[in-house]
Amino acid sequence: MTDVYDHWIGGAKVAGESDRTADVYDPALGTPQRQVRLASTSDVDAAVQTARTAFATWSQASVTARSRVMFAFRQLLVEHEDELAAIISSEHGKTIDDAKGEVVRGREVVEFACGIPQLLKGEYNDQVSGSVDSFSFRQPIGVVAGITPFNFPIMVPLWMHPVAIATGNTFILKPSERVPGASALVAELYKKAGLPDGVFNVVNGDKVAVDALLEHPDIAAVSFVGSTPIARYVHEGASRTGKRVQALGGAKNHAVVMPDADLDFAADHIVAAGYGSAGQRCMAISAVIAVGPAADTLVDKIRERTHDIKVGVGTDPDAGMGPVVTKASRDRIVDYIGQGESAGAKVVVDGRDLVVEDHEEGFFVGPTLIDHVTTDMSVYTDEIFGPVLAVLRVPSLEAAIELINANPYGNGTAVFTSSGEVARTFQRDVHVGMIGINVPVPVPMAFHSFGGWKDSLFGDHHIHGPEGVRFYTQAKVVTARWPHVSEESLAALNFPTAH
Ligand code: NAD
């Protein structure tokens, strides 16, 4: 175990000055497989200075040149899909198919960024006054940073850097120290795609690196995705130093199941959305709200389906879900299940004792279903981030909406129904940013923007899509006059108005 992930600064691997490292685990085996460097403040500064120098030329590159790099990068992501998925699976634990899914969804943001000439078209008004025209356009903001979580090692960073780079900024990525592998390969692919050195940089690290980014005076903006406490911290820290910031936090996503829904369809999709990626998706369903008579049948149908889920190593083609990311995660999830049980909820399916053959030390938890959960139980109030579905029972749609709106998180939610009226009431009244109608994981496509409400997002911009273009650019409005030599000047001391 000698391999160490370096930083990537100025188009090359860099060891940096810090001698701190962290282990990168294989969660299926429960043992370290590599190490990753943890940057010091001066390592971060080296990356910022490099990105700042690169900004001087990259921000002047033509929009077509920037678009061409994105087309080439997109093609390389296609060619390296298997390799990327294998790296992600080995460090995160998710199945290979699931990992490929995130490569594809992330690549779609690159496809969006390929159209940057169209997206950056400004606006023009001819003759806003006599011989005066007015037009507006957007320019890049400088060196921007992205700080990302473990659960989507390539997709979440891809929500950020293609849009930031295509709009003419230079970028510093601080990926999760638990899953640095995909970012190391992405850096090399950008170089192969023709991106000039210094435009995309990777600084590996922990809180020290994050704090250095937040404090650095030469960083113009920070995009963060991770848990709510750290999102709040990043939002406050970056705001204090005058940066633009979007900080996406954690979630507790509810699926409401109405009695008029097709319960087989709902159970299929809730199982996929609750247990896929071992529940470690920010858009995973973790609370099922069964309305009226739907409850008993729905719980039975979910229970039956959990028996068909094979839990195994990510490379096992039959596995539906892999391990969770760390031993600490496993212990936390197991503890929450116990807390639910002690509080009086009924553990219908219990994944606590699951052991995967030949992987006895792996961080596995089986699918778990807990019924009769109430809103005061920690199994409901806290984001567990594991394969645990909590079922709450309410009498009506109104009660379901009230319950969701009382929850501090507001990332995603879904309703299963065959009624258009129910769907419309739900989509209009619920205080959540992303809503699925018979769609359990309503992650917006790359050409829309992604973002939650309440404690799931701090800042006023959603990420990628049109809001991403706005976040990484600033507007300019030009008012221009090219007078004829003979023209009367019309200069006056009063405030100018159109004539
Ligand atoms: P995390 O908050 O622990 O870590 C996210 C990033 O913050 C990492 O890069 C990490 O190194 C850094 N970090 C961790 N602790 C820090 C500290 N004390 N000070 C400064 N920086 C720190 O999140 P995670 O465990 O990697 O990821 C899971 C969380 O991310 C879940 O809460 C999940 O809901 C959330 N998430 C949200 C979205 C979304 O779009 N809203 C998407 C994916 C994940």
Side-chain angles (χ1 to χ4, degrees), residues 148-151 174 177 207 210 224-227 249-250 282 383 450:
T148 53
F150 81 84
N151 65 324
K174 205 300 284 174
E177 60 274 40
K207 179 173 166 50
V210 171
F224 171 89
V225 177
S227 61
C282 61
E383 182 184 35
F450 179 111

Side-chain angles (χ1 to χ4, degrees), residues 131-317:
S131 300
V132 177
D133 304 324
S134 185
F135 53 98
S136 60
F137 60 99
R138 302 189 72 89
Q139 291 189 314
I141 52 180
V143 180
V144 300
I147 302 163
T148 53
F150 81 84
N151 65 324
F152 283 107
I154 192 166
M155 184 185 79
V156 168
L158 281 169
W159 286 353
M160 303 171 181
H161 52 74
V163 183
I165 290 172
T167 47
N169 302 280
T170 55
F171 197 88
I172 298 174
L173 174 63
K174 205 300 284 174
S176 167
E177 60 274 40
R178 297 179 205 155
V179 291
S183 301
L185 182 51
V186 160
E188 292 187 16
L189 299 185
Y190 262 133
K191 190 174 172 96
K192 265 195 204 164
L195 189 70
D197 293 346
V199 177
F200 177 77
N201 306 279
V202 180
V203 171
N204 287 304
D206 54 7
K207 179 173 166 50
V208 173
V210 171
D211 287 345
L213 290 168
L214 298 181
E215 291 297 325
H216 206 294
D218 292 330
I219 289 186
V222 175
S223 297
F224 171 89
V225 177
S227 61
T228 288
I230 312 300
R232 191 178 270 121
Y233 173 81
V234 166
H235 184 251
E236 286 172 5
S239 302
R240 199 167 42 242
T241 53
K243 302 180 193 345
R244 200 176 274 203
V245 54
Q246 53 181 183
L248 282 69
K252 194 82 189 178
N253 304 312
H254 304 74
V256 175
V257 182
M258 296 299 290
D260 63 27
D262 175 337
L263 295 185
D264 283 307
F265 181 89
D268 283 347
H269 283 274
I270 286 170
V271 164
Y275 302 127
S277 202
Q280 299 173 116
R281 293 182 184 138
C282 61
M283 291 288 276
I285 294 295
S286 52
V288 179
I289 309 186
V291 177
D296 287 340
T297 316
L298 181 69
V299 169
D300 276 351
K301 287 179 185 295
I302 295 175
R303 180 180 47 73
E304 284 161 18
R305 284 159 172 77
T306 60
H307 302 314
D308 299 333
I309 300 172
K310 180 173 179 196
V311 183
V313 182
T315 47
D316 176 350

Side-chain angles (χ1 to χ4, degrees), residues 41 127 137 168 225 263 279 317 425 479:
T41 302
Q127 196 74 349
F137 60 99
V225 177
L263 295 185
T425 301
T479 306

